[in-house]
Amino acid sequence: PPPSGPGAPGVPGQPTAPGAAPTTPSEPAEPVAPPEPEKSVDELLAELDALVGLARVKREVHRQVALLQMEAKREKAGLRSATLTRHLVFTGNPGTGKTTVARLVGGIYRALGLLSKGQLVEVDRSELVAGYLGQTATKTSEVVGSALGGVLFIDEAYALNGDQYGKEAIDTLVKEMEDHRADLVVIVAGYPEPMSEFIRTNPGLQSRFNTVIEFEDYTDDELVGIIEDLSAKNDYDLSEGAITRFREILAATPRGESFGNGRFARNTLEGAIGRHAWRLREEDDPSVEQLRTIEAEDLDEREGVDLTV
């Protein structure tokens, strides 16, 4: 029989089974980065306050936090606690920061001890509704299960209205919200009028969504602040001419439900970065200033060079 014990082929100090191929010591494991420390309520509220615009949203979130903190103090003092619903309705046009705020709300609720994890799970109708009746309930329950301990964010929730599949998803959602009310927050979002109709479709929704937070469109000054922030985060600077040109573009762009707000600013910057690269394509040794600076001409679409990154 092959030798065994210390010194034999295989893992040092371990016997090798008869007939087994010799083994070699495994590679040392890669060091695992320590998890990021969980943020406090004050730190998360500071992140919220640092967002461009959203004055009404910030006030309402601060009010909700103050209310929840007071309820915790009353409960600790042995006083009766009102039955508060933590679920929220976000109304507003696209690109107004609803998903960003929803993620912060999840962190804030976790820091308050109201959620065990605080993660955000973002879905729409397609991820809740199945192809056949009876399957939708299972699919919706699975989605809710993935959000337990955190926030389930349903964008364009009113798309569930109007057919039996959507009704099945809504009915299942209401049941799951009741079953997991201690460790789940649901935020539904969409345009104001359709969202009002959506909440009215089911008495269970009406009783659970008492707080509506309106996300207003950004002003021109706020959109300039957004594109400047996005530029800085990507090591770009907007020249004065570029800022002036962006304001001209904003003035000429119709505002309505299809206007992208923050997404419009981001898409404009991405297009400008592509045209900036095209403009400098023949510079063999561009300066750092050239590499960083977005000029007014980079914001203008030109045939053949309307590039995005």
Side-chain angles (χ1 to χ4, degrees), residues 87-171:
H87 309 297
L88 302 170
V89 180
F90 286 179
T91 64
N93 289 330
T96 47
K98 295 186 290 294
T99 304
T100 298
V101 174
R103 186 172 289 109
L104 287 171
V105 165
I108 289 169
Y109 281 11
R110 181 212 55 77
L112 288 170
L114 301 174
L115 292 173
S116 59
K117 300 175 184 177
Q119 82 279 14
L120 178 75
V121 176
E122 183 178 4
V123 299
D124 57 20
R125 175 190 164 97
S126 67
E127 290 155 293
L128 297 173
V129 172
Y132 300 96
L133 283 177
Q135 294 180 335
T136 290
T138 300
K139 190 173 183 180
T140 299
S141 295
E142 289 174 351
V143 169
V144 172
S146 70
L148 290 182
V151 173
L152 176 62
F153 181 82
I154 307 176
D155 197 17
E156 297 184 350
Y158 45 76
L160 295 170
N161 283 349
D163 61 31
Q164 54 189 342
Y165 300 99
K167 181 180 183 301
E168 183 180 1
I170 293 171
D171 292 343

Side-chain angles (χ1 to χ4, degrees), residues 265-288:
R266 183 178 65 244
N267 292 341
T268 299
L269 177 63
E270 289 178 351
I273 289 173
R275 290 185 286 274
H276 166 270
W278 181 262
R279 176 168 57 82
L280 297 179
R281 69 192 183 281
E282 295 181 356
E283 291 282 347
D284 292 331
D285 188 24
S287 66
V288 172

Side-chain angles (χ1 to χ4, degrees), residues 41-62:
V41 174
D42 289 341
E43 288 172 326
L44 291 162
L45 287 175
E47 286 188 28
L48 173 70
D49 292 339
L51 297 176
V52 174
L54 304 178
R56 181 180 297 182
V57 173
K58 293 171 184 176
R59 285 196 302 270
E60 183 57 36
V61 173
H62 274 274

Side-chain angles (χ1 to χ4, degrees), residues 225-245:
I226 288 172
I227 198 171
E228 287 180 323
D229 284 350
L230 291 172
S231 298
K233 288 176 181 176
N234 289 281
D235 281 337
Y236 284 95
D237 297 319
L238 293 171
S239 70
E240 288 298 323
I243 293 174
T244 299
R245 181 63 187 129

Side-chain angles (χ1 to χ4, degrees), residues 201 237 298:
T201 60
D237 297 319
D298 299 326

